[in-house]
Amino acid sequence: MKNFMEILVIMVLSIIIFIQYQNESKSLVPITISNVTNTEKDNPVSRKLNSIGVPSNPRLVSAICFASQQYNISEDLIISITWTESNFKERAVSCKGYNGLMQIPHKVFQEDANVLIGTKILREKMKIANGDMTKAILLYKGYPLDSARGHQQVKKVFSLYHKLKTIT
């Protein structure tokens, strides 16, 4: 029953996101989840997660791959943001009430739905920032563009991002 509810939540969230994009005259990239390889041996996302001490699991790997393809955001950037937001703690809650892996403003703790929503928010911030990754990360993390603390956080994201880029 729990798996059924999780699948239902993901389906509803996917439909909501799809409708929002249709209303914005955007189209989603159709992909098939089964095309994503999930074994640590075959999948670079698994290797990247393991390199930072995160035990990969097929559901998390699929979520990152799917969100990356759906919103055209690098898997490395998704991993880097997630690491700096929650250290991949699925039940993390910030003092400001943000939740889950990507610290989204919704109480969604299922890792796949949280990653999908967080990546959608990141895509929106990229759009607002006209593709400027520094500005987008500052906006995602809720910092003013001139915040010294915010720029420290951006450096952490970029440091991990560049490290992950070297892992194949």
PDB file of all heavy atoms in Angstrom, residues 5-27:
ATOM      1  N   MET A   5       0.904   4.362  -2.752  1.00  0.00           N
ATOM      2  CA  MET A   5       0.720   5.773  -2.409  1.00  0.00           C
ATOM      3  C   MET A   5       1.872   6.616  -2.937  1.00  0.00           C
ATOM      4  O   MET A   5       1.661   7.714  -3.436  1.00  0.00           O
ATOM      5  CB  MET A   5       0.579   5.940  -0.890  1.00  0.00           C
ATOM      6  CG  MET A   5      -0.716   5.362  -0.330  1.00  0.00           C
ATOM      7  SD  MET A   5      -2.203   6.031  -1.124  1.00  0.00           S
ATOM      8  CE  MET A   5      -2.133   7.707  -0.561  1.00  0.00           C
ATOM      9  N   GLU A   6       3.095   6.103  -2.846  1.00  0.00           N
ATOM     10  CA  GLU A   6       4.241   6.843  -3.367  1.00  0.00           C
ATOM     11  C   GLU A   6       4.128   7.012  -4.876  1.00  0.00           C
ATOM     12  O   GLU A   6       4.379   8.101  -5.400  1.00  0.00           O
ATOM     13  CB  GLU A   6       5.541   6.118  -3.008  1.00  0.00           C
ATOM     14  CG  GLU A   6       5.875   6.193  -1.542  1.00  0.00           C
ATOM     15  CD  GLU A   6       7.121   5.400  -1.183  1.00  0.00           C
ATOM     16  OE1 GLU A   6       7.665   4.679  -2.036  1.00  0.00           O
ATOM     17  OE2 GLU A   6       7.527   5.506  -0.028  1.00  0.00           O
ATOM     18  N   ILE A   7       3.738   5.962  -5.563  1.00  0.00           N
ATOM     19  CA  ILE A   7       3.570   6.040  -7.016  1.00  0.00           C
ATOM     20  C   ILE A   7       2.455   7.025  -7.354  1.00  0.00           C
ATOM     21  O   ILE A   7       2.581   7.832  -8.284  1.00  0.00           O
ATOM     22  CB  ILE A   7       3.288   4.642  -7.612  1.00  0.00           C
ATOM     23  CG1 ILE A   7       4.548   3.772  -7.491  1.00  0.00           C
ATOM     24  CG2 ILE A   7       2.825   4.744  -9.061  1.00  0.00           C
ATOM     25  CD1 ILE A   7       4.323   2.311  -7.793  1.00  0.00           C
ATOM     26  N   LEU A   8       1.376   6.996  -6.609  1.00  0.00           N
ATOM     27  CA  LEU A   8       0.268   7.914  -6.842  1.00  0.00           C
ATOM     28  C   LEU A   8       0.708   9.362  -6.654  1.00  0.00           C
ATOM     29  O   LEU A   8       0.384  10.227  -7.462  1.00  0.00           O
ATOM     30  CB  LEU A   8      -0.898   7.575  -5.903  1.00  0.00           C
ATOM     31  CG  LEU A   8      -2.172   8.387  -6.093  1.00  0.00           C
ATOM     32  CD1 LEU A   8      -2.738   8.177  -7.496  1.00  0.00           C
ATOM     33  CD2 LEU A   8      -3.211   7.989  -5.055  1.00  0.00           C
ATOM     34  N   VAL A   9       1.486   9.638  -5.600  1.00  0.00           N
ATOM     35  CA  VAL A   9       1.996  10.991  -5.349  1.00  0.00           C
ATOM     36  C   VAL A   9       2.867  11.447  -6.516  1.00  0.00           C
ATOM     37  O   VAL A   9       2.734  12.563  -7.012  1.00  0.00           O
ATOM     38  CB  VAL A   9       2.783  11.054  -4.021  1.00  0.00           C
ATOM     39  CG1 VAL A   9       3.573  12.341  -3.912  1.00  0.00           C
ATOM     40  CG2 VAL A   9       1.846  10.908  -2.838  1.00  0.00           C
ATOM     41  N   ILE A  10       3.744  10.575  -6.987  1.00  0.00           N
ATOM     42  CA  ILE A  10       4.632  10.919  -8.099  1.00  0.00           C
ATOM     43  C   ILE A  10       3.815  11.191  -9.356  1.00  0.00           C
ATOM     44  O   ILE A  10       4.082  12.156 -10.081  1.00  0.00           O
ATOM     45  CB  ILE A  10       5.669   9.799  -8.334  1.00  0.00           C
ATOM     46  CG1 ILE A  10       6.620   9.727  -7.136  1.00  0.00           C
ATOM     47  CG2 ILE A  10       6.445  10.032  -9.625  1.00  0.00           C
ATOM     48  CD1 ILE A  10       7.450   8.479  -7.093  1.00  0.00           C
ATOM     49  N   MET A  11       2.827  10.375  -9.606  1.00  0.00           N
ATOM     50  CA  MET A  11       1.994  10.574 -10.800  1.00  0.00           C
ATOM     51  C   MET A  11       1.252  11.909 -10.723  1.00  0.00           C
ATOM     52  O   MET A  11       1.209  12.658 -11.703  1.00  0.00           O
ATOM     53  CB  MET A  11       1.010   9.414 -10.958  1.00  0.00           C
ATOM     54  CG  MET A  11       1.676   8.119 -11.411  1.00  0.00           C
ATOM     55  SD  MET A  11       0.548   6.713 -11.478  1.00  0.00           S
ATOM     56  CE  MET A  11      -0.736   7.312 -12.543  1.00  0.00           C
ATOM     57  N   VAL A  12       0.676  12.213  -9.577  1.00  0.00           N
ATOM     58  CA  VAL A  12      -0.058  13.475  -9.423  1.00  0.00           C
ATOM     59  C   VAL A  12       0.884  14.664  -9.600  1.00  0.00           C
ATOM     60  O   VAL A  12       0.560  15.623 -10.311  1.00  0.00           O
ATOM     61  CB  VAL A  12      -0.779  13.517  -8.052  1.00  0.00           C
ATOM     62  CG1 VAL A  12      -1.310  14.912  -7.758  1.00  0.00           C
ATOM     63  CG2 VAL A  12      -1.905  12.498  -8.010  1.00  0.00           C
ATOM     64  N   LEU A  13       2.066  14.601  -8.970  1.00  0.00           N
ATOM     65  CA  LEU A  13       3.035  15.683  -9.118  1.00  0.00           C
ATOM     66  C   LEU A  13       3.481  15.830 -10.568  1.00  0.00           C
ATOM     67  O   LEU A  13       3.609  16.949 -11.081  1.00  0.00           O
ATOM     68  CB  LEU A  13       4.243  15.443  -8.218  1.00  0.00           C
ATOM     69  CG  LEU A  13       3.982  15.601  -6.729  1.00  0.00           C
ATOM     70  CD1 LEU A  13       5.194  15.154  -5.924  1.00  0.00           C
ATOM     71  CD2 LEU A  13       3.625  17.026  -6.386  1.00  0.00           C
ATOM     72  N   SER A  14       3.692  14.724 -11.243  1.00  0.00           N
ATOM     73  CA  SER A  14       4.086  14.771 -12.649  1.00  0.00           C
ATOM     74  C   SER A  14       3.002  15.408 -13.508  1.00  0.00           C
ATOM     75  O   SER A  14       3.294  16.211 -14.398  1.00  0.00           O
ATOM     76  CB  SER A  14       4.398  13.365 -13.175  1.00  0.00           C
ATOM     77  OG  SER A  14       5.491  12.832 -12.479  1.00  0.00           O
ATOM     78  N   ILE A  15       1.749  15.076 -13.235  1.00  0.00           N
ATOM     79  CA  ILE A  15       0.639  15.668 -13.986  1.00  0.00           C
ATOM     80  C   ILE A  15       0.560  17.171 -13.730  1.00  0.00           C
ATOM     81  O   ILE A  15       0.392  17.961 -14.665  1.00  0.00           O
ATOM     82  CB  ILE A  15      -0.693  14.963 -13.624  1.00  0.00           C
ATOM     83  CG1 ILE A  15      -0.694  13.541 -14.192  1.00  0.00           C
ATOM     84  CG2 ILE A  15      -1.892  15.755 -14.157  1.00  0.00           C
ATOM     85  CD1 ILE A  15      -1.820  12.658 -13.674  1.00  0.00           C
ATOM     86  N   ILE A  16       0.722  17.575 -12.476  1.00  0.00           N
ATOM     87  CA  ILE A  16       0.695  19.005 -12.140  1.00  0.00           C
ATOM     88  C   ILE A  16       1.805  19.743 -12.867  1.00  0.00           C
ATOM     89  O   ILE A  16       1.586  20.801 -13.462  1.00  0.00           O
ATOM     90  CB  ILE A  16       0.798  19.207 -10.615  1.00  0.00           C
ATOM     91  CG1 ILE A  16      -0.489  18.721  -9.935  1.00  0.00           C
ATOM     92  CG2 ILE A  16       1.071  20.672 -10.270  1.00  0.00           C
ATOM     93  CD1 ILE A  16      -0.396  18.627  -8.428  1.00  0.00           C
ATOM     94  N   ILE A  17       3.018  19.188 -12.831  1.00  0.00           N
ATOM     95  CA  ILE A  17       4.150  19.813 -13.512  1.00  0.00           C
ATOM     96  C   ILE A  17       3.891  19.867 -15.011  1.00  0.00           C
ATOM     97  O   ILE A  17       4.135  20.887 -15.657  1.00  0.00           O
ATOM     98  CB  ILE A  17       5.463  19.055 -13.189  1.00  0.00           C
ATOM     99  CG1 ILE A  17       5.821  19.267 -11.712  1.00  0.00           C
ATOM    100  CG2 ILE A  17       6.596  19.511 -14.095  1.00  0.00           C
ATOM    101  CD1 ILE A  17       6.902  18.345 -11.200  1.00  0.00           C
ATOM    102  N   PHE A  18       3.349  18.801 -15.579  1.00  0.00           N
ATOM    103  CA  PHE A  18       3.048  18.770 -17.009  1.00  0.00           C
ATOM    104  C   PHE A  18       2.038  19.859 -17.376  1.00  0.00           C
ATOM    105  O   PHE A  18       2.219  20.585 -18.342  1.00  0.00           O
ATOM    106  CB  PHE A  18       2.524  17.396 -17.412  1.00  0.00           C
ATOM    107  CG  PHE A  18       2.196  17.280 -18.863  1.00  0.00           C
ATOM    108  CD1 PHE A  18       3.209  17.163 -19.798  1.00  0.00           C
ATOM    109  CD2 PHE A  18       0.883  17.310 -19.305  1.00  0.00           C
ATOM    110  CE1 PHE A  18       2.919  17.068 -21.146  1.00  0.00           C
ATOM    111  CE2 PHE A  18       0.583  17.218 -20.648  1.00  0.00           C
ATOM    112  CZ  PHE A  18       1.605  17.099 -21.572  1.00  0.00           C
ATOM    113  N   ILE A  19       0.999  19.999 -16.588  1.00  0.00           N
ATOM    114  CA  ILE A  19      -0.025  21.015 -16.854  1.00  0.00           C
ATOM    115  C   ILE A  19       0.575  22.417 -16.752  1.00  0.00           C
ATOM    116  O   ILE A  19       0.296  23.281 -17.586  1.00  0.00           O
ATOM    117  CB  ILE A  19      -1.224  20.842 -15.890  1.00  0.00           C
ATOM    118  CG1 ILE A  19      -1.983  19.561 -16.257  1.00  0.00           C
ATOM    119  CG2 ILE A  19      -2.156  22.060 -15.936  1.00  0.00           C
ATOM    120  CD1 ILE A  19      -3.028  19.142 -15.228  1.00  0.00           C
ATOM    121  N   GLN A  20       1.437  22.630 -15.753  1.00  0.00           N
ATOM    122  CA  GLN A  20       2.076  23.941 -15.618  1.00  0.00           C
ATOM    123  C   GLN A  20       2.899  24.259 -16.852  1.00  0.00           C
ATOM    124  O   GLN A  20       2.867  25.378 -17.360  1.00  0.00           O
ATOM    125  CB  GLN A  20       2.970  23.976 -14.375  1.00  0.00           C
ATOM    126  CG  GLN A  20       2.193  24.039 -13.087  1.00  0.00           C
ATOM    127  CD  GLN A  20       3.116  23.953 -11.880  1.00  0.00           C
ATOM    128  OE1 GLN A  20       4.245  23.483 -11.966  1.00  0.00           O
ATOM    129  NE2 GLN A  20       2.612  24.405 -10.741  1.00  0.00           N
ATOM    130  N   TYR A  21       3.626  23.294 -17.362  1.00  0.00           N
ATOM    131  CA  TYR A  21       4.448  23.534 -18.534  1.00  0.00           C
ATOM    132  C   TYR A  21       3.599  23.745 -19.778  1.00  0.00           C
ATOM    133  O   TYR A  21       3.934  24.542 -20.633  1.00  0.00           O
ATOM    134  CB  TYR A  21       5.464  22.407 -18.742  1.00  0.00           C
ATOM    135  CG  TYR A  21       6.765  22.729 -18.094  1.00  0.00           C
ATOM    136  CD1 TYR A  21       6.969  22.465 -16.748  1.00  0.00           C
ATOM    137  CD2 TYR A  21       7.784  23.340 -18.784  1.00  0.00           C
ATOM    138  CE1 TYR A  21       8.155  22.784 -16.126  1.00  0.00           C
ATOM    139  CE2 TYR A  21       8.974  23.673 -18.176  1.00  0.00           C
ATOM    140  CZ  TYR A  21       9.145  23.390 -16.856  1.00  0.00           C
ATOM    141  OH  TYR A  21      10.329  23.725 -16.240  1.00  0.00           O
ATOM    142  N   GLN A  22       2.500  23.031 -19.890  1.00  0.00           N
ATOM    143  CA  GLN A  22       1.612  23.263 -21.029  1.00  0.00           C
ATOM    144  C   GLN A  22       1.068  24.675 -20.983  1.00  0.00           C
ATOM    145  O   GLN A  22       0.959  25.331 -22.007  1.00  0.00           O
ATOM    146  CB  GLN A  22       0.458  22.257 -21.031  1.00  0.00           C
ATOM    147  CG  GLN A  22       0.835  20.934 -21.612  1.00  0.00           C
ATOM    148  CD  GLN A  22      -0.386  20.051 -21.793  1.00  0.00           C
ATOM    149  OE1 GLN A  22      -1.329  20.108 -21.020  1.00  0.00           O
ATOM    150  NE2 GLN A  22      -0.352  19.232 -22.821  1.00  0.00           N
ATOM    151  N   ASN A  23       0.727  25.143 -19.797  1.00  0.00           N
ATOM    152  CA  ASN A  23       0.218  26.496 -19.653  1.00  0.00           C
ATOM    153  C   ASN A  23       1.274  27.538 -19.999  1.00  0.00           C
ATOM    154  O   ASN A  23       0.950  28.645 -20.369  1.00  0.00           O
ATOM    155  CB  ASN A  23      -0.309  26.736 -18.242  1.00  0.00           C
ATOM    156  CG  ASN A  23      -1.575  25.950 -17.966  1.00  0.00           C
ATOM    157  OD1 ASN A  23      -2.265  25.536 -18.892  1.00  0.00           O
ATOM    158  ND2 ASN A  23      -1.880  25.745 -16.696  1.00  0.00           N
ATOM    159  N   GLU A  24       2.526  27.188 -19.855  1.00  0.00           N
ATOM    160  CA  GLU A  24       3.619  28.101 -20.180  1.00  0.00           C
ATOM    161  C   GLU A  24       4.100  27.896 -21.614  1.00  0.00           C
ATOM    162  O   GLU A  24       5.114  28.447 -22.022  1.00  0.00           O
ATOM    163  CB  GLU A  24       4.796  27.873 -19.233  1.00  0.00           C
ATOM    164  CG  GLU A  24       4.481  28.192 -17.801  1.00  0.00           C
ATOM    165  CD  GLU A  24       5.630  27.819 -16.867  1.00  0.00           C
ATOM    166  OE1 GLU A  24       6.695  27.390 -17.342  1.00  0.00           O
ATOM    167  OE2 GLU A  24       5.448  27.954 -15.665  1.00  0.00           O
ATOM    168  N   SER A  25       3.375  27.088 -22.385  1.00  0.00           N
ATOM    169  CA  SER A  25       3.740  26.769 -23.770  1.00  0.00           C
ATOM    170  C   SER A  25       5.106  26.118 -23.858  1.00  0.00           C
ATOM    171  O   SER A  25       5.874  26.367 -24.786  1.00  0.00           O
ATOM    172  CB  SER A  25       3.697  28.017 -24.647  1.00  0.00           C
ATOM    173  OG  SER A  25       2.403  28.556 -24.667  1.00  0.00           O
ATOM    174  N   LYS A  26       5.431  25.321 -22.867  1.00  0.00           N
ATOM    175  CA  LYS A  26       6.678  24.561 -22.868  1.00  0.00           C
ATOM    176  C   LYS A  26       6.334  23.109 -23.123  1.00  0.00           C
ATOM    177  O   LYS A  26       5.242  22.656 -22.862  1.00  0.00           O
ATOM    178  CB  LYS A  26       7.386  24.666 -21.505  1.00  0.00           C
ATOM    179  CG  LYS A  26       7.716  26.058 -21.083  1.00  0.00           C
ATOM    180  CD  LYS A  26       8.871  26.593 -21.855  1.00  0.00           C
ATOM    181  CE  LYS A  26       9.210  27.992 -21.366  1.00  0.00           C
ATOM    182  NZ  LYS A  26      10.097  28.699 -22.180  1.00  0.00           N
ATOM    183  N   SER A  27       7.286  22.377 -23.628  1.00  0.00           N
ATOM    184  CA  SER A  27       7.044  20.946 -23.794  1.00  0.00           C
ATOM    185  C   SER A  27       8.064  20.168 -22.988  1.00  0.00           C
ATOM    186  O   SER A  27       9.200  20.578 -22.846  1.00  0.00           O
ATOM    187  CB  SER A  27       7.139  20.553 -25.267  1.00  0.00           C
ATOM    188  OG  SER A  27       8.427  20.813 -25.757  1.00  0.00           O
TER     189      SER A  27
END
